[in-house]
Amino acid sequence: MSMEWNKIFGAVLLAGLIAMLAGFAAEVLVHPKTPEKPGYVVAMPDGAAPAPSGGAAPSGPAEIAPLLAKADAAAGQSAAKACAACHSFDKGGPNKVGPNLYGIVGAPHGHLDGFAYSDAIKGKAGPWNYDELNHFLYDPKAYAPGTKMTFAGVKKDQDRANIIAYLRSLSDSPAPLPQ
């Protein structure tokens, strides 16, 4: 029995010795080059703009007016299907977890009586115009800190414009597009 334990101990010792010798050999054989400046250059496709200085992403959404000029309300309706879990879109439709969004464009913040809006939304002055919707849909938590809405936002500019075009169509008299 003791001979078996000696064999096991010897095998473990041999494996450790081989691993140690392999590490020494690797240090002798491999000589890595340390770059002067950490990181690497990413090749940009033609026509692509480099990131702003510091490499930071833009701090907010793109301007909505040019995007709305080529927005597709049908594509926005398709994209807004994800919103249907919490919102209804029909005229006179019920409030769900979120308020009914029919006629939202041009309506004041907290416009539906009987819906329990967060103080963050009720405290916003002015109507839900295109710019306000753009900023809200881009990042609801940044637009209205303390909002009850748990949605992370729509980061793709054209998707956001399509949704806003769809919301615009949900009205008896749609608000005019911005210039």
Side-chain angles (χ1 to χ4, degrees), residues 1-112:
M1 178 86 171
S2 68
M3 189 61 144
E4 291 299 317
W5 284 108
N6 284 342
K7 288 179 187 177
I8 292 171
F9 181 71
V12 170
L13 193 59
L14 180 64
L17 184 62
I18 290 172
M20 186 175 71
L21 291 174
F24 290 142
E27 285 182 17
V28 170
L29 296 174
V30 177
H31 302 286
K33 292 182 182 178
T34 305
E36 292 176 19
K37 196 167 131 181
Y40 55 92
V41 176
V42 177
M44 300 293 289
D46 290 340
S53 63
S59 62
E63 189 177 339
I64 194 64
L67 296 168
L68 282 174
K70 57 183 178 180
D72 179 9
Q77 181 178 12
S78 178
K81 285 182 181 176
C83 307
C86 297
H87 297 278
S88 62
F89 298 96
D90 302 323
K91 183 176 183 177
N95 293 326
K96 295 183 176 181
V97 174
N100 180 313
L101 296 178
Y102 187 88
I104 189 77
V105 179
H109 290 81
H111 66 288
L112 290 177

Side-chain angles (χ1 to χ4, degrees), residues 2 11 19 39 42 45 57 64 98 100 121 123 133 141 148-150 157-158 170 175-176:
S2 68
V42 177
I64 194 64
N100 180 313
I121 294 297
L133 285 166
K141 298 274 187 213
K148 294 177 187 176
M149 188 161 164
T150 58
D157 295 334
Q158 198 56 53
L170 302 176

